[in-house]
Amino acid sequence: MTAIIVGMAIVTMVPRFLPAFVVDKWVYPKWVSRWLNAIPYAALGALIFPWITGVIEGKPYIGVLGGLVATILAFLKINTIIVVLGAIITVFLFNTVI
Amino acid sequence: MQPNTVQQLNQTNSAMNFVQRGAFAALPIVFGYLPIGITYGVLAKQSGLSLIEITMMSVFVFAGAAQFVAVSMINAGALFVEIVLATFVLNLRHFVMSFSIMNRLRSVSLKWKIPISLGLTDETFSVASLYPKEGQKKGGMWFYASMILVSYFAWILGSFAGGLLGEVIPEALSQSMGIALYAMFIALLIPSVRSEWRIGLIAVLSMMLNYIAYAITGNQGWSIVLATILAGASGIWLLPQEEVEE
């Protein structure tokens, strides 16, 4: 088990810190900067969908409903913690009651 | 002597201020990490890992999705090489994310960049990206450091608690908590979409590409990396010329 943990730690750490060195030694054009600045939004999209449909196995619509509630609450500028709570409650209710 | 002391005091004050704001920005992450960490701990315990192994994996790997996959692979009797390779592919997205953050922190010394890059997860990356102005302020690194450390400890604490609690938490509740991180990603994304609708376009494009890439490769790690890079490239045309950040 120790070997697995060490192996996992190494392959996780290297891709994380490598860019810290590369960025220093490479001056790139403005369009690359715009590309890199769009990465967070693209990453968030790819982290949300389609995985959100798998929150409750076999009931993909429940995850989507939780996501919709979160989207509406966030659009109303409600605090993040309440957005998260609202989504949890939605999923819990739909999964247990219905 | 006198001015020197005053200056030092001012510096400490602003560092403390950054630390407090960083910790506050980490609260939604804590809120997501505790239940997810507990779920991981419970699953790992059921897969036969000891409490120390469960906690140490969180200390040294600090990558939720990869730890979930590893635990289920261990449970299925996978080989060492298979588990490490799966972890590598799944965490390759952090290479792209780290590039994006390090680009913003160009002027910062390596002494700060390295620990910050090591603490990058989907969640700390998202919060750090959405507070880009902190990176340009003097002492702004304390904001990132504190935000990452608070998240890190929440993850470790959650895993430990999960390993300790075992099956005490009702399944319906821990299952429902699985939505927490997605809700947080949504909550992080929406404010940017409100102020610039093209950002929403980039995110939706990425979701569709991700869906297609996953259908083709059947691999979560590769599809996230592909979708992030390709949809990110649309930003070259979609994102407005960014304001001068010097």
Side-chain angles (χ1 to χ4, degrees):
Chain A
M1 191 55 62
T2 310
I4 292 177
I5 293 175
V6 171
M8 286 176 70
I10 292 170
V11 297
T12 303
M13 283 161 102
V14 173
R16 275 178 184 169
F17 75 69
L18 221 54
F21 294 96
V22 180
V23 162
D24 273 347
K25 297 192 174 63
W26 180 33
V27 181
Y28 39 72
K30 272 267 183 303
W31 64 268
V32 176
S33 252
R34 284 214 297 284
W35 189 347
L36 291 176
N37 287 345
I39 293 290
Y41 312 117
L44 283 171
L47 288 168
I48 295 169
F49 189 83
W51 326 119
I52 194 166
T53 60
V55 169
I56 304 295
E57 228 173 292
K59 294 177 187 166
Y61 61 92
I62 293 186
V64 174
L65 277 174
L68 277 178
V69 168
T71 307
I72 294 165
L73 292 178
F75 251 105
L76 297 172
K77 294 191 177 174
I78 287 167
N79 184 287
T80 308
I81 290 173
I82 309 215
V83 173
V84 172
L85 262 182
I88 293 178
I89 292 168
T90 306
V91 169
F92 184 74
L93 285 180
F94 274 92
N95 194 28
T96 49
V97 179
I98 296 167
Chain B
M1 185 76 191
Q2 199 78 340
N4 199 11
T5 327
V6 171
Q7 204 182 13
Q8 272 178 351
L9 203 69
N10 276 342
Q11 258 173 10
T12 330
N13 269 340
S14 80
M16 261 322 280
N17 187 15
F18 275 118
V19 167
Q20 280 171 1
R21 286 189 5 229
F24 190 74
L27 278 185
I29 302 185
V30 171
F31 211 72
Y33 273 3
L34 286 177
I36 304 275
I38 290 172
T39 315
Y40 151 77
V42 169
L43 280 178
K45 188 79 184 192
Q46 288 165 354
S47 300
L49 273 76
S50 70
L51 188 59
I52 294 173
E53 289 165 345
I54 292 169
T55 315
M56 285 305 124
M57 194 186 277
S58 288
V59 168
F60 290 108
V61 183
F62 188 32
Q67 289 179 232
F68 269 98
V69 170
V71 163
S72 61
M73 286 180 86
I74 290 166
N75 202 19
L79 299 171
F80 167 82
V81 185
E82 292 171 326
I83 297 170
V84 172
L85 198 67
T87 305
F88 175 71
V89 173
L90 197 57
N91 286 340
L92 211 52
R93 65 185 186 281
H94 295 143
F95 180 73
V96 185
M97 295 178 183
S98 179
F99 241 110
S100 173
I101 279 288
M102 291 307 140
N103 182 45
R104 287 192 186 281
L105 303 184
R106 264 174 186 275
S107 52
V108 175
S109 72
L110 265 184
K111 178 185 85 175
W112 278 106
K113 274 189 204 152
I114 293 173
I116 286 175
S117 69
L118 288 177
L120 275 189
T121 62
D122 302 333
E123 295 77 18
T124 59
F125 164 76
S126 305
V127 170
S129 312
L130 301 172
Y131 289 87
K133 298 217 165 60
E134 307 295 339
Q136 269 112 42
K137 287 179 192 156
K138 190 166 181 291
M141 290 306 104
W142 289 104
F143 172 89
Y144 292 138
S146 143
M147 185 269 291
I148 287 173
L149 273 180
V150 169
S151 307
Y152 182 54
F153 283 119
W155 178 245
I156 296 171
L157 189 71
S159 323
F160 178 78
L164 208 61
L165 289 173
E167 298 95 54
V168 177
I169 297 173
E171 204 193 337
L173 189 60
S174 64
Q175 260 192 341
S176 309
M177 283 172 167
I179 193 84
L181 287 181
Y182 300 109
M184 201 194 77
F185 292 143
I186 291 171
L188 287 168
L189 183 61
I190 297 298
S192 307
V193 176
R194 274 182 72 108
S195 58
E196 175 55 68
W197 64 273
R198 290 189 182 90
I199 285 173
L201 210 61
I202 296 174
V204 170
L205 180 66
S206 180
M207 290 180 183
M208 294 188 312
L209 287 171
N210 190 35
Y211 183 80
I212 297 167
Y214 185 64
I216 295 169
T217 63
N219 182 303
Q220 205 176 358
W222 286 123
S223 66
I224 295 176
V225 170
L226 276 172
T228 303
I229 292 176
L230 292 178
S234 75
I236 300 171
W237 299 277
L238 285 174
L239 277 194
Q241 274 304 331
E242 70 170 26
E243 66 277 34
V244 185
E245 281 185 24
E246 260 74 12

